[in-house]
Amino acid sequence: MKDNQPIQRLNKLHIALEQCSAIDQLSDGKNKIFTTGERIAINQERGAILSQIAYGNEEITALEVRTYQVSSQIENKIRFTLSKIAQ
């Protein structure tokens, strides 16, 4: 990954979660983009990216770096959500 790619990915995941929360709040919990489990998976990937950034900043050791990527199903939902925002 290039230096700015983890930060861009982190921002995209954050925006997707924000959008989900906004829709959930507007619909009084009746509409959700992501299930609770999917939100957990997205946050796991965010944590892994943060650990990779921390390693790049020499804040943690290589043994402490986490790797995680959401499933293709969740990735498709993230892309769909981001595409709706861009419109």
Side-chain angles (χ1 to χ4, degrees):
M1 257 189 217
K2 292 182 181 176
D3 288 343
N4 63 346
Q5 283 183 323
I7 294 171
Q8 288 175 350
R9 178 67 177 169
L10 195 61
N11 288 335
K12 286 180 180 181
L13 295 175
H14 177 76
I15 291 167
L17 288 173
E18 264 186 343
Q19 184 67 16
C20 179
S21 294
I23 289 171
D24 188 35
Q25 189 174 29
L26 289 173
S27 68
D28 293 325
K30 295 176 185 170
N31 296 323
K32 296 182 182 200
I33 297 171
F34 304 108
T35 66
T36 302
E38 289 170 336
R39 289 180 67 92
I40 290 169
I42 292 168
N43 280 307
Q44 285 178 325
E45 182 172 342
R46 290 176 70 210
I49 293 168
L50 289 171
S51 75
Q52 294 164 16
I53 291 169
Y55 176 70
N57 293 335
E58 299 179 357
E59 298 169 2
I60 62 174
T61 66
L63 295 175
E64 297 172 291
V65 175
R66 297 180 350 184
T67 57
Y68 186 84
Q69 192 171 9
V70 296
S71 69
S72 59
Q73 177 187 1
I74 298 172
E75 183 62 35
N76 288 337
K77 288 175 94 172
I78 291 168
R79 286 183 185 157
F80 179 77
T81 302
L82 295 174
S83 73
K84 289 297 183 182
I85 295 169
Q87 292 179 353

